[in-house]
Structure formats: structure tokens, C-alpha cells
Amino acid sequence: MEEVMAMPTINLQPSDTLVPLLRCDVCIVGSGPAGATLARELSNSGLSVVLLESGGELRDPENDALNDIENVGRPRVRDQWSVRNRILGGSSHTWGGRCGPFDAIDFEKRNWIENSGWPIAMQELDPYMDRSANHLGLALGSGYSDQRFWSIAGRRAPRQEVAADLLLPFFWQFSRDTAESYPFEYMRFGRHIAKHLGANVTLVTGATALRVLANEARTKTHGLEFGTRDGRKHSLVASSVALCAGGVENARILLNSHEQDRRSLGNDRDRVGRYLMDHLRGPTAFFSLASSKALRRRFGRYNVRGRFFRAGLRLSPAVQRDEKLLNCAGWLGEVLAPDDPWDALRRLAARKPRLPEDVISVARNAPLMLEGAIDYFGARNGLPRKLQELTLDCMCEQMPDEDSRISLSDRRDRYGAPLPKIDWRSHPDEARTMHHMAALVAAEFARIGFPEPALADWVRDKAPIPASFVDVAHPTGTTRMSDDPAKGVVDVNCQVHGVQGLYVSGSSVFPTAGHCNPTQMIVAMAIRLADHLKDRLNRPFLTKVIAHAG
């Protein structure tokens, strides 16, 4: 058997560490889902790669402080750790494992949504979605989110279904890390990164990217400036740089990549940081727990091929067009009871119990756990939880608004770099879409024999979305993709317009956010970028000939 060479690792966390001279073909900034995937796909490619991570293997308060923001817009999560993780593996440390593909309509130019439309179609991404399954621990990468799910699951489709011209079934699939002993653990990209990266990739931790370096004409990158824990700054020489640091940090790094009074890299048209979107998510209606068993079975979790799937609904393209709505999805939101036995069992299995409460919870709820075991192993459903509330939760796409943006604050971090100033905005169409979604679900459930929920006060009164609906760690659009440099930051290959060798990966390149969690799309797009880089950098002469001919 051929011996696998170990990935070189450099830890710059200790303040007395000697910083080596780093140079490579590709420098990747960030080791979250985008960066780790890109590095893994470039392993054993013949390219020299450096993967830079600001954090280390463990969470550190000094690293957390580098995620500080100045918020001047809609309320956002105060604890940035819940939405941004400066640690090996990035934000996969706190994600909820939920995956799903975007819808075909998300890629379309919709005349009722200004600045909508992608320069690629959904079908072009299908091969990359399939390849994403291996990175995310999914049973399959595409074709599972619509009615095809029932065939995949080996089940009969329900006889009574919502009207397809109004609502469509949607199924999310949850990531699973099969290398972990806990059977429902999501993929945490930092845990197994060493075994996935080849000897051509050097992992450098404790290196905080500060700005991209470019030639005098600002038309080509030649590396990156990064800081170490002792406050010193260093340069890394690279033919190409790929920013994979998240929707906030990607924009911040570009905005900080300026020289004196000249505009930031890729920002000649003042597009960097604009069109900030996230997902507005929260309860829109409430169900009675007493009559919800059949509803919870139909729109609950399913155990298929050792993975959990979750059922829900989305607005049909027809109703979006007719009513000029944004895209939106809904599912049953479960507020767990304090003594939910499955949570207690998980803590006991992880040897982090709350004693004696967890032991008492498991003992008192033995009948529920027996029912759950029968359901899980027999009917192949998800585990029933002990609830104190059951809601209709909705998650809505946002309008791509150029005034919803990230700029630079007057406040600075310990390296002297300006913090991101975030002016996140919401719009009446988002509230109108969620009102409509909740009303349709309530009416359709009543029509097909499920309990009709009571609409939340803000939905019934057609009021704005509550301030409690904060960001959900899906910052999108701040370096958006467009064929036109006047309307976006990166081109169809995710290269920054006008700056050769500078790339961006992650949800920041998405022109619109859809209703779906972005992680699977992020990984698929990173795989696509890796293929482009291997083709471009391993065949530079051919690339130049093609570019000249074009």
C-alpha cells in the first residue's frame, strides 16, 4: 500500500514562534466549509497550497475578540461565536447540520426582485452538489429535496398533499460525521482535516489575514499580509489567493486591501460589502401539542440510509410569480421541554451530564424513549422529542439591497485593522412573504385534515417582522457574482473583477440567498472553484490562449 505523506502543519499561536517565509501557488484564507473543501480538492494536485486559519484547534477569547463588529442596522446576534467561529474548522463548529439545494427559481432573473439572477443555472451545479455529499457526510448530494424523497426513502407518498400551485414539499438532509461515536454528530470540518489534506498543503494556524497584496496597477495579486498573536505583520507570497473567511470577513479583508487614497481591491465600482443578506427566521404560527401527533409524524424527521431528513414546505414558483413574493420555506419548530430525555441521553453519552437531572429525566421519560426506539428502528422515523411548544417556523429570502452593507468602522482590532461596520436591512416584502406563507400553510393544513395553527400576532396583524428575528449565521451577497463588474465583485469563476489571481468562495458570492441553508451550496461552489484553479494553474499557457481568443 502506498504510504500517505503527512500534511505539513505550522502553529503560529505561541508568541515566540519563528515565522517562516511562506510562498505558494494558492493561499486559502479560512478553514471552514469553503476553505477546508477547497484545500481538500486541491490536495495532490501538483499545486503548492497554504491554508491559513486565524484560530487554532481550541477556542480562544483573544481570537473571538477579532470577530467584533459595529452594528448600525437591524439587530443582530450579540454573541458572535454563535454565528462566526475563528477556529480550525470555522463555523462548522456551531452550524446545525442542515443541508439542501437551492431552487431553480433562485437562479432566475425575477422582474419583481431587483438585482436578482445568477450568471449560472442550477443544472450547472448539480455535479458539484453530488460531489459535496462526501465532504458533508450526506447520503446523496442532489435529487432528494422534492417528491423524489419518498422513492429514495422507500415509502409511499402521502395521499393527502398540499396544493402544488401554492406549496411544494421540501426535504432537508442533515450532515453526519460517521467517524464520531455519537450517531447524530454533524460534520465538523476541523476534526479530520489532517487526514484529508495531502503533503502539498501546508496548514498554518494562528495566522490572521489582514489584506491582500497586489501589483502597482492593482490588477494582479501576489500574496497576502497576515498578523500573528504577538501583533506583528508578515507577508506570504502567492500566485493566487482565495478568500474563504465568511460573508462578513471576506468583504472586510477586501475593504482593508487598499493603498493610501486608492480604492480597495476589486472595489472600483463600490460594490464590495454591498447587498448584505441573511435569513429572517422564526415562528409564524402555533400548534396545539395535544392534537399534533399525526402532523409531527408527517412533517417530522425521517431516518434514511443512516441520515436524518426533515420534511417541510416551500412556496411554489407559481405563487411567487403571481403574488410577487420572495422565496420562503416552513417547517415544524420544536421548543424542547427542559427535561427532554434525548438531550439528557446525549449529554450522558458524551460524558458531560448534568447530574442528577439527566438521570432523572431519562428514568421519568422511559415510555417516550421506548416509543422513540420503536419509531427509529422500526418505522425509520426521527426520535420523538418532549416538547413544551410546537410552532410553524419560516425562513425567508431577503431582497438584495445595495444599501444593506458592510463597510469599515472607525474602531480597530489589535492589528490596527478597522472592524466591519454592519448595516443590515430588512424590507416590507420579506414580512409580506412570511405573512403569505403562514396563511397558506394554515389554510392548506385545515383543508387536508391536519390541525390548523393559530397565526402569530404579528402575522395576523400584517405587522413588520419582529426584532427578535436576528441573523442566523448565513451572511450572503457581500462579494456577489455577476458578469457585469458594475453589478458585482466576482465573475462566473469567482475571480474578483479586474484582479488576476484573487478569488472569493462562500455565500458572499451568492447573488441571492434563496430560502435554504447555504452550507451545501458553499461546499459545491468551493469544489467548482477548485476544478477551475487546477485547470487554470496547471495549464497556464492554454488558459492564456483561451482568454486571448475570447
Side-chain angles (χ1 to χ4, degrees):
M1 181 180 291
E2 184 180 351
E3 184 179 352
V4 178
M5 296 184 66
M7 168 197 68
T9 302
I10 301 171
N11 179 16
L12 301 182
Q13 290 278 23
S15 59
D16 58 350
T17 300
L18 181 65
V19 178
L21 177 64
L22 296 171
R23 46 176 74 235
C24 59
D25 295 318
V26 183
C27 171
I28 301 171
V29 177
S31 65
T37 298
L38 184 57
R40 182 175 173 183
E41 289 286 328
L42 292 178
S43 290
N44 306 311
S45 64
L47 299 170
S48 61
V49 179
V50 170
L51 175 59
L52 284 187
E53 170 54 51
S54 178
E57 293 186 9
L58 300 175
R59 184 181 178 186
D60 185 283
E62 289 192 32
N63 292 331
D64 287 355
L66 293 171
N67 277 335
D68 282 351
I69 63 171
E70 179 186 349
N71 185 43
V72 296
R74 183 181 176 87
R76 298 179 68 79
V77 172
R78 292 186 179 181
D79 179 8
Q80 286 296 291
W81 174 256
S82 66
V83 293
R84 298 167 68 205
N85 307 156
R86 203 173 283 256
I87 189 173
L88 190 63
S91 294
S92 68
H93 275 265
T94 54
W95 79 308
R98 188 186 293 215
C99 296
F102 279 28
D103 302 324
I105 194 172
D106 296 327
F107 295 84
E108 297 176 8
K109 172 64 179 175
R110 291 166 278 174
N111 59 19
W112 64 97
I113 301 176
E114 189 176 1
N115 300 310
S116 61
W118 291 51
I120 53 177
M122 183 182 72
Q123 291 77 8
E124 295 178 51
L125 293 178
D126 281 346
Y128 305 105
M129 295 294 282
D130 287 335
R131 287 167 62 184
S132 76
N134 188 41
H135 291 270
L136 289 161
L138 304 178
L140 62 168
S142 65
Y144 61 81
S145 64
D146 53 24
Q147 287 282 38
R148 287 173 288 181
F149 167 80
W150 300 113
S151 176
I152 293 167
R155 297 168 182 257
R156 290 184 179 179
R159 294 181 180 179
Q160 288 281 73
E161 194 59 281
V162 293
D165 60 334
L166 301 176
L167 298 165
L168 291 173
F170 194 87
F171 296 87
W172 295 267
Q173 182 179 178
F174 284 82
S175 161
R176 180 180 173 187
D177 186 347
T178 55
E180 293 296 318
S181 58
Y182 178 59
F184 312 119
E185 177 68 316
Y186 310 133
M187 184 63 67
R188 313 294 183 186
F189 281 77
R191 287 181 180 171
H192 312 297
I193 196 166
K195 71 181 181 184
H196 291 312
L197 300 184
N200 66 313
V201 181
T202 299
L203 171 64
V204 182
T205 57
T208 298
L210 300 175
R211 63 190 184 107
V212 180
L213 304 175
N215 61 357
E216 178 64 25
R218 315 288 284 163
T219 57
K220 184 177 181 180
T221 182
H222 59 69
L224 187 88
E225 182 180 77
F226 65 93
T228 48
R229 197 181 187 97
D230 56 11
R232 289 185 293 178
K233 299 176 182 178
H234 313 269
S235 294
L236 178 152
V237 178
S239 302
S240 296
V241 173
L243 301 180
C244 305
V248 174
E249 201 68 16
N250 283 346
R252 180 197 184 191
I253 292 171
L254 284 180
L255 290 170
N256 277 319
S257 301
H258 59 81
E259 298 288 344
Q260 297 178 353
D261 58 347
R262 301 173 70 179
R263 276 196 184 274
S264 306
L265 276 180
N267 202 29
D268 290 345
R269 308 296 184 93
D270 189 27
R271 298 295 91 184
V272 174
R274 294 187 179 275
Y275 306 101
L276 170 65
M277 298 164 281
D278 207 292
H279 281 126
L280 292 160
R281 181 179 73 191
T284 60
F286 300 87
F287 295 92
S288 167
L289 282 174
S291 58
S292 67
K293 188 171 183 178
L295 177 69
R296 291 166 63 187
R297 182 174 289 275
R298 165 63 181 86
F299 288 99
R301 296 177 183 86
Y302 294 85
N303 173 21
V304 180
R305 303 184 189 178
R307 305 297 189 279
F308 272 152
F309 289 72
R310 185 176 191 118
L313 297 165
R314 67 180 178 96
L315 285 177
S316 73
V319 81
Q320 289 181 57
R321 292 189 177 96
D322 291 346
E323 302 293 335
K324 295 185 169 31
L325 300 172
L326 296 157
N327 208 346
C328 189
W331 62 91
L332 298 184
E334 299 172 332
V335 180
L336 299 181
D339 62 337
D340 174 57
W342 296 107
D343 256 4
L345 189 64
R346 175 176 56 82
R347 288 190 292 269
L348 288 166
R351 298 182 180 179
K352 297 180 181 178
R354 299 174 185 170
L355 297 176
E357 294 92 338
D358 285 346
V359 174
I360 295 171
S361 175
V362 170
R364 284 181 176 173
N365 294 286
L368 178 65
M369 299 189 73
L370 177 61
E371 177 189 346
I374 294 171
D375 228 19
Y376 181 75
F377 293 106
R380 292 179 291 117
N381 292 323
L383 298 170
R385 311 302 294 269
K386 187 172 184 179
L387 306 181
Q388 64 180 15
E389 190 172 65
L390 185 67
T391 64
L392 172 66
D393 282 3
C394 289
M395 189 158 81
C396 183
E397 173 184 21
Q398 283 203 281
M399 297 287 289
D401 175 3
E402 67 173 10
D403 293 324
S404 182
R405 66 181 300 191
I406 293 170
S407 56
L408 295 180
S409 170
D410 292 331
R411 295 171 52 202
R412 296 176 180 265
D413 65 18
R414 67 170 180 260
Y415 296 109
L419 298 180
K421 181 164 69 172
I422 303 182
D423 185 1
W424 178 41
R425 304 188 180 191
S426 59
H427 308 83
D429 281 334
E430 293 148 17
R432 186 171 65 88
T433 295
M434 295 182 87
H435 298 157
H436 206 88
M437 176 78 186
L440 285 178
V441 171
E444 282 298 291
F445 276 7
R447 184 183 66 80
I448 63 177
F450 284 127
E452 182 177 359
L455 296 179
D457 292 345
W458 73 273
V459 174
R460 187 194 61 235
D461 298 339
K462 301 293 192 291
I465 295 172
S468 58
F469 286 35
V470 294
D471 56 310
V472 293
H474 302 165
T476 301
T478 54
T479 62
R480 71 196 317 255
M481 179 190 293
S482 174
D483 286 331
D484 183 354
K487 296 182 179 179
V489 177
V490 302
D491 64 18
V492 72
N493 293 315
C494 295
Q495 182 172 255
V496 173
H497 285 293
V499 187
Q500 183 181 338
L502 178 54
Y503 296 85
V504 184
S505 190
S507 58
S508 67
V509 307
F510 298 177
T512 51
H515 69 70
C516 202
N517 306 63
T519 303
Q520 190 183 3
M521 180 71 77
I522 288 171
V523 169
M525 292 286 285
I527 296 169
R528 178 176 179 269
L529 174 57
D531 282 0
H532 172 74
L533 288 173
K534 284 185 284 190
D535 186 62
R536 176 184 177 275
L537 298 179
N538 282 326
R539 299 193 295 165
F541 175 74
L542 181 59
T543 303
K544 290 179 181 178
V545 170
I546 293 172
H548 181 72

